[in-house]
Amino acid sequence: MRRGKLTVVGAGPGDVDLITLKGVKALQSADVVLYDALVSSELLEYATNAENIFVGKRKGCYSYQQNQINDLIVERARQGLHVVRLKGGDPFVFGRGAEEMEHAARFGVEVEVVPGISSSVSVPASQNIPVTKRGAAESFWVITGTTKEHKLSNDVALAAKSNATVIILMGMSKLGEIMDLFKKEEKENTPVAIIQNGTTENEKIGIGTVASIEHKAKEQQLSNPAIIVIGEVVNHRQQILDIQNQYQLQGKELFEKV
């Protein structure tokens, strides 16, 4: 009998071109694909021989509970099928990929992971915001904005005390609480970026400071799924724009002189 297998695949931040080649190969060999809400449906076109099952969740609405997803993985793998669990970003960065692999392995299912490009670094990068930059940030924190108890992670308060870039996923519902922690550390003027639907055609971005970003978010109607970036590195985006504008201006002046 053919032995079943689970491959947990990171789909990347949203842009379909940012999935890895190994991830594409896994989809091409899949018999069943269980995919999440943040995964582009275009990626399912690679899974030409697979049954595609949506198991994602949005704003507390669950198509499958986590224990049901775990059971579905084991059930299909025990039928000798190759199950691909397709997750947004990287499956080991707040993706519960490790939990699903552990559950499947307990039932004798062969398991493998294909890392994905994490939205925590790639989404800021897509907007010319580095997470580290010499002279601005020597390190970065990646923190979930909401724990399994639906509370703000205690690590946010610790991160606010540091000089590191702070990247918060799933934190828009607690934006006010997050900014209050940074205000307590007298960081009202620290730059902040909020990037919604990063790397997709629906991408939106808001730029402000710890003191002003809540107003900016309301003004621009920014909401989840979004990434919050806090730190001096946010200024790099404007610096690049200024350099480009200056270059174009100089080029125009040179052309007019000729």
Side-chain angles (χ1 to χ4, degrees), residues 181-199:
L181 291 173
F182 281 81
K183 289 173 185 176
K184 286 180 181 178
E185 302 302 326
E186 300 182 350
K187 294 185 175 180
E188 289 87 350
N189 296 321
T190 300
V192 181
I194 296 175
I195 309 166
Q196 179 181 332
N197 293 315
T199 76

Side-chain angles (χ1 to χ4, degrees), residues 31-48:
D31 296 304
V32 182
V33 177
L34 310 181
Y35 65 100
D36 282 344
L38 295 180
V39 171
S40 171
S41 59
E42 288 183 53
L43 291 177
L44 301 177
E45 294 175 11
Y46 290 113
T48 54

Side-chain angles (χ1 to χ4, degrees), residues 5 20 28 66 84 104 111 119 131 156-158 215 222 228 241 251:
K5 178 181 178 179
T20 65
Q28 290 171 335
Q66 186 60 49
V84 167
V111 296
S119 60
V131 295
V156 177
L158 296 175
H215 174 72
L222 297 170
I228 304 166
L241 290 173

Side-chain angles (χ1 to χ4, degrees), residues 94 143-156 169-170 174:
F94 305 123
I143 310 171
T144 177
T146 307
T147 67
K148 64 181 181 179
E149 291 83 19
H150 304 290
K151 296 180 180 179
L152 185 65
S153 170
N154 292 330
D155 285 349
V156 177
L169 311 183
M170 302 170 286
K174 294 180 170 52

Side-chain angles (χ1 to χ4, degrees), residues 1 11 44 60 133 165 179 204 233:
M1 181 181 290
L44 301 177
K133 184 182 179 183
T165 303
M179 293 305 115
K204 294 168 64 176
V233 292

Side-chain angles (χ1 to χ4, degrees), residues 52-106:
N52 299 319
I53 304 174
F54 176 72
V55 295
K57 50 185 176 291
R58 277 279 198 234
K59 295 182 179 179
C61 297
Y62 294 76
S63 54
Y64 283 80
Q65 296 293 331
Q66 186 60 49
N67 63 330
Q68 293 175 312
I69 296 172
N70 293 344
D71 292 343
L72 190 57
I73 290 170
V74 172
E75 175 194 324
R76 297 305 173 90
R78 280 185 155 181
Q79 294 172 11
L81 303 178
H82 180 200
V83 180
V84 167
R85 182 70 173 94
L86 190 60
K87 293 175 169 288
D90 180 272
F92 280 5
V93 181
F94 305 123
R96 302 188 77 167
E99 298 173 37
E100 292 171 356
M101 290 177 70
E102 187 176 351
H103 180 84
R106 287 197 182 103

